[in-house]
Amino acid sequence: MKTLLCKQFGPPESLVLEDVPSPVAGPGMVVVEVRACGVNFPDVLIIEDKCQFKPSLPFAPGGEISGVVKELGEGVTGLAVGDRVLASTGFGGFAEEIAIPAAAAVPIPESMDFPTAAAFLMTYGTSYYALKDRAHLRAGENLVVLGAAGGVGLAAVELGKAMGARVIAAASSEEKLTVCREHGADETIDYSQENLKDRMKELTGGQGADVVYDPVGGSYSELAIRATAWEGRFLVIGFAAGDIPRIPLNLTLLKSCQIVGVFWGAFVGRNPEDNRRNTSELFDLFAQGRIKPYVSSTYPLARGAEAIEEIGGRRARGKIVVLP
Ligand SMILES: NC(=O)c1ccc[n+]([C@@H]2O[C@H](COP(=O)([O-])OP(=O)(O)OC[C@H]3O[C@@H](n4cnc5c(N)ncnc54)[C@H](OP(=O)(O)O)[C@@H]3O)[C@@H](O)[C@H]2O)c1
């Protein structure tokens, strides 16, 4: 089978397409024929050895997949050859086949196609856990989403609307903000042109945001905290801009506000039951047409490096998917 391998850490163009033996389903495992693989920011980091998660070389990037069960390992129950499944895999998805623990395979709803299924779990799982379980977002609250046209950002825009919030999307270009409006944003801020703090205050009648969703970091975080409301919640999602900000703690005291960490991958491992319930609620929202991944471009496996480059180069809108 073909796979796109990281054999030495480096930029996307150092990935190598190779033929390798098909994986075998060990006890408790299944082999899945990969139909689609969602690309996420951690793929940019993992191939350059900048991710907290470090697989040993060689490995294929690609942290979430959808496909068809091809083989069952010993002791696997509840799944059959031919089942359509999706899974969060961490890495290994840039391949025609992958072996995963049977427990990680989630049956795909009938109305969901493979590219959509591969673009679903990480972004909506993260944003739902963040907004529901960490921020306790309430209907009518002002939610500001930074990097709002990106993968997790656009999921937060849609979920914020579905939860009844007033959503203010912030991004770096008019083109990206148009995507945010198409996905439900009530107001927008172009932080490449406008002062983030001043516009957040202006759009919230001087009160500031009740909840800020920040997957970007860098210089935007402190500006956003300075425009957070009394008893607001600032969600730390990631640092796509590269810099991890240092925040003066007096800002939290002055507003009785909270800076709240969010680590969805660890939540999945520690609270599998809660995660299963969240996933099922997300499938319900999908079935009702209230959330839908926006797959803006797809690439064949051989051009997987370009898919990662699109994200690392700050050009991606919504989700990028590789079709092995
Ligand atoms: N905490 C968790 O559990 C969790 C789970 C999944 C992902 N994450 C993290 O969330 C972040 C976003 O992931 P994603 O998959 O949604 O990525 P993405 O689709 O690339 O979105 C990231 C956004 O960040 C902004 N950005 C600002 N400076 C950038 C730069 N130098 N390079 C690239 N983007 C830049 C871009 O929006 P503008 O151009 O509009 O600024 C971009 O749309 C990453 O840091 C990722 O590791 C965290």
Side-chain angles (χ1 to χ4, degrees):
M1 65 131 186
K2 290 200 171 6
T3 177
L4 194 64
L5 288 178
C6 174
K7 300 181 88 173
Q8 56 182 41
F9 295 112
E13 58 270 24
S14 53
L15 296 174
V16 188
L17 189 68
E18 285 202 353
D19 263 310
V20 300
S22 286
V24 175
M29 309 279 287
V30 295
V31 171
V32 177
E33 242 177 48
V34 180
R35 297 292 170 84
C37 177
V39 188
N40 295 283
F41 203 84
D43 294 311
V44 177
L45 303 175
I46 206 168
I47 61 169
E48 302 219 20
D49 199 20
K50 291 180 182 161
C51 194
Q52 69 263 39
F53 184 61
K54 297 177 191 301
S56 48
L57 294 169
F59 68 91
E64 58 179 335
I65 58 108
S66 62
V68 177
V69 174
K70 182 194 166 201
E71 190 185 316
L72 303 178
E74 193 189 315
V76 172
T77 55
L79 283 172
V81 170
D83 281 357
R84 286 161 25 95
V85 295
L86 60 80
S88 187
T89 59
F91 63 99
F94 278 27
E96 289 176 331
E97 294 172 16
I98 185 172
I100 59 170
V106 180
I108 301 176
E110 244 171 52
S111 61
M112 197 181 266
D113 59 29
F114 286 117
T116 304
F120 192 76
L121 206 53
M122 193 178 295
T123 49
Y124 289 94
T126 299
S127 295
Y128 198 43
Y129 168 59
L131 296 176
K132 179 187 145 190
D133 299 321
R134 303 297 289 139
H136 308 291
L137 178 68
R138 294 183 290 266
E141 286 193 314
N142 283 307
L143 165 68
V144 169
V145 180
L146 309 186
V152 294
L154 204 57
V157 168
E158 288 190 349
L159 285 169
K161 282 307 289 178
M163 293 164 82
R166 175 171 174 259
V167 177
I168 301 171
S172 66
S173 71
E174 187 45 42
E175 190 203 357
K176 288 186 175 184
L177 291 172
T178 300
V179 172
C180 298
R181 278 189 288 270
E182 286 165 1
H183 287 258
D186 298 292
E187 304 285 349
T188 55
I189 301 173
D190 180 346
Y191 49 42
S192 72
Q193 307 289 329
E194 301 171 296
N195 181 289
L196 179 62
K197 177 183 148 205
D198 293 348
R199 277 290 282 158
M200 281 175 64
K201 286 266 178 104
E202 196 182 346
L203 289 170
T204 55
Q207 297 299 305
D210 300 299
V211 175
V212 177
Y213 182 98
D214 180 11
V216 181
S219 58
Y220 299 126
S221 305
E222 186 173 332
L223 291 171
I225 289 179
R226 287 183 184 276
T228 297
W230 174 254
E231 293 187 347
R233 289 83 78 206
F234 178 94
L235 296 165
V236 181
I237 307 295
F239 312 101
D243 291 334
I244 299 179
R246 290 164 184 268
I247 301 298
L249 276 183
N250 64 315
L251 297 180
T252 62
L253 181 154
L254 293 170
K255 286 142 185 271
S256 259
C257 74
Q258 302 170 48
I259 296 176
V260 184
V262 177
F263 189 172
W264 177 69
F267 161 75
V268 171
R270 286 165 174 262
N271 303 64
E273 265 314 307
D274 293 338
N275 179 56
R276 259 191 288 280
R277 197 192 52 240
N278 279 2
T279 305
S280 144
E281 289 173 13
L282 288 170
F283 283 157
D284 288 344
L285 288 171
F286 175 81
Q288 294 158 14
R290 298 169 76 194
I291 58 172
K292 185 171 192 321
Y294 169 50
V295 177
S296 62
S297 52
T298 58
Y299 291 85
L301 183 60
R303 292 175 54 205
E306 291 170 56
I308 296 182
E309 221 297 304
E310 198 177 331
I311 292 194
R314 203 175 174 174
R315 297 190 305 282
R317 287 161 291 116
K319 292 286 296 185
I320 314 291
V321 170
V322 165
L323 304 173

